[in-house]
Amino acid sequence: MKRIVLPLVLALTMFSCDSVKNVNTSNISSAATLLSSLSSNSTVQQISTLFTLLDSNKDEAISTTEAIGSVAENFGVLDTDKSSSLNLTELTGLLSLLK
């Protein structure tokens, strides 16, 4: 019984959390599509659009919880100032990783 109750309580807690409620799944889907289409020919404008889509709380930074895909996988490399968040300049570093 404990094996069923604990995951259920955890799921209910997560869904009642404001940060989970405010996540725009459309933005995440659009960000994932854009991220998968990036290549060595991608532009800073595409990275800027990606930044806007990932910055779900609109604090002008991408946190580890907002990062997805190759952004999440390379977060430590991209976070050049070690602030535990990515600004637009740092996210632009993703272009060099695509080459």
Side-chain angles (χ1 to χ4, degrees):
M1 183 71 169
K2 285 183 183 179
R3 286 184 162 175
I4 296 171
V5 173
L6 185 58
L8 183 60
V9 169
L10 181 59
L12 290 173
T13 303
M14 286 180 60
F15 285 112
S16 67
C17 179
D18 284 337
S19 63
V20 173
K21 286 181 183 177
N22 292 330
V23 171
N24 185 337
T25 56
S26 175
N27 282 0
I28 293 172
S29 177
S30 296
T33 300
L34 177 57
L35 191 55
S36 68
S37 73
L38 293 178
S39 69
S40 59
N41 298 324
S42 295
T43 65
V44 172
Q45 180 58 44
Q46 289 170 304
I47 295 294
S48 180
T49 300
L50 177 64
F51 183 88
T52 300
L53 291 169
L54 290 177
D55 185 18
S56 61
N57 64 0
K58 306 301 179 214
D59 67 348
E60 299 297 318
I62 306 300
S63 66
T64 55
T65 58
E66 293 171 315
I68 62 169
S70 59
V71 175
E73 293 165 7
N74 295 292
F75 197 91
V77 173
L78 295 170
D79 185 18
T80 56
D81 65 1
K82 304 302 178 207
S83 64
S84 298
S85 65
L86 302 177
N87 60 37
L88 181 56
T89 302
E90 290 172 318
L91 187 62
T92 304
L94 188 61
L95 291 174
S96 65
L97 296 177
L98 297 171
K99 295 179 181 181

